[in-house]
Amino acid sequence: MQYEIIGAALVFLLSAALAWPLGKFIVKVFLGEKNWMGFMSPIEKLIFKISGVNPDKEMDWKQNMKALLGLNLLFFLAAFVILSIQGLIKFWNPVGIGNWEPTLAFNTAISFMTNTNLQHYSGETGASYFTQLAVFAWLQFVSAGTGITACALLFRGLTNRSSAALGNFYNLWLKSCTRILLPLAVILSLILTVSGTTTNFKGLQEVSTLEGETQMVAGGPTAPMVAIKQLGTNGGGYFGPNSTHPFENPTYLANMAENIAIILVPMALVFAFGFYIKRKRLGLYLFGVMSLLFVSFVAISAWQEVEGNPNFAKMGLEQTVNMEGKEVRLGPVASSMWGVSTTSTSNGSVNSMHDSHTPLSGGIFLLDMFINAIYGGVGVGFINFFVFMVIAVFIAGQMIGRTPDFLGKKLEAREIKIAAIVVILHPLFILAGTAISSYLVTADPELGWLNNPGFHGFSEMMYEFTSSSANNGSGFEGLGDNTPFWNIATGLVMLFARFLPIIGPLAIVGSLAVKKHVPQTAGSLQLETPAFASVLLAVIIIISALAFFPALTLGPIAEYFTF
């Protein structure tokens, strides 16, 4: 057990150590400074020339939002069409996998376009090699690039003195893909390939089992897709079991590499914020607040899984730890570390079945997604955290009796209202969706959604909407989710929960960008202090507790007390 704890600690420490220099590199990309990926410039210029885009044109927040939404609409339409006619595309489809049902194609196209990767299908049986690479792997790059670009626009807006220009979405988006995500994905893909992750186009292969029988086993170009799924906080598995599958995650070292990849870029963007605004200490304080929550959640989840399920002892069975739904080669602590990492960052990949974790451990995963800002998804995680910062600055300003200002710009009614709306939207999507699904399954038990009744069944439905709203994609897999209701409902939640929380904060920085800079005085609110960090931490916990505690008591907490 001590080796598992050491492994989890190494994952965190190595991630933080690598994130620091990566954060500096990201800032160079954002600012257009010379960097070691400059050799991509000719390819980028060619892409801009073919597309007719002027990458040097400055755009305000509204123009950038139009570009972001327009490009993502094209991504969705292309993905939906390919999924709908997959069976007609014979290229890289050796076993002849057919077309997709419309509501599933709708859900999946939105899922990958929004960086959610909620999967109501099983990859090895539902998607051809062409679909896996040309739709899923491609969308995992461009959706992650969208999130990083939105974060870059936020940084620019916060540092503007009195200009509406936030940069050029197309320029930042392409460079986020080619200079940040692509080189990292190539490195991780090579590491995984050497570790044993499959990389082939051989279709189904006949193998002999230990029992002496023969079995058809699916392979495919897994390593390239797994690399970007982790680095882009996407999480969509090449295989149905995701990273519990040995072809995706073959060894403990591969597990560590993938876990580091999950939290690496989100951590780096927190440091990048401090470097970009030239306030490294503030970046460290923000990283400290996030890390305090992260480490606490890992400790609680691991403690619960190591304690095990007391119901086994009542049945006369010996169980020292809870190994249900976990891989023996990884163990409970590595599973908890991954579970908290994947739900903290809106990654959504799994190396154990979250449905089989103990109630409080599953509740921690839900709480991660309720907050949706502990490191968070690439780019959008920091944007969500920025909203909490605005609320905390407003509250702190009221406490000291002065108009709140944030990084030298006055926060007024417009900015506070937008932040409040963004904060309210997340629980609205989750709780409203959970209430509707609970009513429907109660009114018509024949729907057959739930394999587990009672408190756990409620948690399964709440988890599905929470994962969709947090653009996470993981699930409590006891839920029968490939139905028209779940495909359409979660598809709409993913769509609105992805873009409204991006539009709102960028509207705030668009408003702040044109305001005159207010010099700091002795009476100004100091952000780089333990006091403000404490207020920020309290705001995050209180908002999440007020919004979601009643729902948690109906699900994981109630289930815990039935043990």
Side-chain angles (χ1 to χ4, degrees), residues 45 81 159 175-176 233 343 409 500 507:
K45 288 179 180 178
V81 169
T159 55
K175 289 182 178 178
S176 295
T233 60
T343 50
K409 300 293 182 77
L500 291 179

Side-chain angles (χ1 to χ4, degrees), residues 429-514:
F429 292 141
I430 295 170
L431 299 178
T434 305
I436 293 170
S437 60
S438 298
Y439 169 76
L440 291 176
V441 79
T442 304
D444 186 4
E446 298 301 318
L447 289 172
W449 292 341
L450 300 178
N451 294 320
N452 299 287
F455 304 126
H456 195 79
F458 178 82
S459 295
E460 288 175 346
M461 292 186 291
M462 181 167 63
Y463 195 106
E464 190 75 1
F465 279 108
T466 303
S467 181
S468 301
S469 183
N471 292 142
N472 185 272
S474 62
F476 269 14
E477 298 305 338
L479 180 70
D481 48 26
N482 186 14
T483 66
F485 170 79
W486 286 105
N487 287 337
I488 295 171
T490 56
L492 292 174
V493 168
M494 287 186 285
L495 183 65
F496 292 124
R498 166 68 165 180
F499 294 110
L500 291 179
I502 290 177
I503 295 171
L506 289 184
I508 293 175
V509 298
S511 175
L512 294 177
V514 297

Side-chain angles (χ1 to χ4, degrees), residues 166-242:
L166 300 186
N168 185 287
F169 169 81
Y170 298 110
N171 186 25
L172 290 166
W173 170 77
L174 184 59
K175 289 182 178 178
S176 295
C177 294
T178 59
R179 302 194 181 198
I180 299 173
L181 294 171
L182 183 59
L184 291 173
V186 169
I187 294 169
L188 181 58
S189 180
L190 291 173
I191 292 172
L192 294 178
T193 300
V194 171
S195 298
T197 302
T198 57
T199 307
N200 61 59
F201 293 88
K202 295 180 180 179
L204 294 174
Q205 299 178 64
E206 186 177 291
V207 300
S208 299
T209 67
L210 293 175
E211 292 83 6
E213 303 293 334
T214 59
Q215 181 177 335
M216 302 304 292
V217 176
T222 311
M225 183 169 164
V226 171
I228 188 57
K229 97 170 184 181
Q230 308 297 26
L231 287 162
T233 60
N234 293 284
Y238 189 94
F239 297 96
N242 208 284

Side-chain angles (χ1 to χ4, degrees), residues 241-422:
N242 208 284
S243 289
T244 65
H245 197 295
F247 287 178
E248 286 200 26
N249 188 10
T251 66
Y252 192 87
L253 289 178
N255 185 79
M256 290 182 66
E258 290 186 40
N259 202 332
I260 290 171
I262 290 172
I263 54 181
L264 176 61
V265 179
M267 280 184 172
L269 285 167
V270 180
F271 294 137
F273 172 71
F275 295 134
Y276 196 101
I277 66 171
K278 295 181 171 56
R279 295 174 72 166
K280 288 187 290 186
R281 190 178 176 190
L282 177 57
L284 288 170
Y285 266 104
L286 300 183
F287 180 79
V289 171
M290 295 182 190
S291 297
L292 178 61
L293 290 169
F294 180 85
V295 172
S296 299
F297 289 168
V298 171
I300 294 170
S301 176
W303 164 57
Q304 284 293 295
E305 296 309 306
V306 170
E307 285 288 305
N309 188 334
N311 287 325
F312 280 91
K314 295 176 183 177
M315 297 169 62
L317 300 174
E318 183 179 352
Q319 186 199 37
T320 54
V321 298
N322 178 32
M323 285 300 295
E324 180 188 343
K326 297 179 181 62
E327 291 298 301
V328 175
R329 68 184 188 277
L330 303 178
V333 177
S335 297
S336 290
M337 178 68 184
W338 185 296
V340 174
S341 298
T342 197
T343 50
S344 293
T345 60
S346 81
N347 175 273
S349 66
V350 297
N351 73 349
S352 63
M353 291 296 104
H354 291 186
D355 198 36
S356 297
H357 278 248
T358 55
L360 289 189
S361 181
I364 287 294
F365 301 157
L366 279 166
L367 185 56
D368 267 338
M369 294 185 287
F370 291 158
I371 295 172
N372 199 25
I374 306 174
Y375 308 134
V378 287
V380 292
F382 188 85
I383 291 175
N384 293 335
F385 197 81
F386 164 74
V387 175
F388 282 119
M389 291 175 67
V390 170
I391 300 293
V393 168
F394 171 72
I395 292 174
Q398 300 305 302
M399 292 170 65
I400 62 176
R402 58 179 285 121
T403 302
D405 64 272
F406 185 75
L407 299 177
K409 300 293 182 77
K410 292 292 184 182
L411 287 174
E412 297 174 304
R414 171 184 170 84
E415 293 82 31
I416 302 302
K417 288 177 181 177
I418 294 174
I421 291 171
V422 171

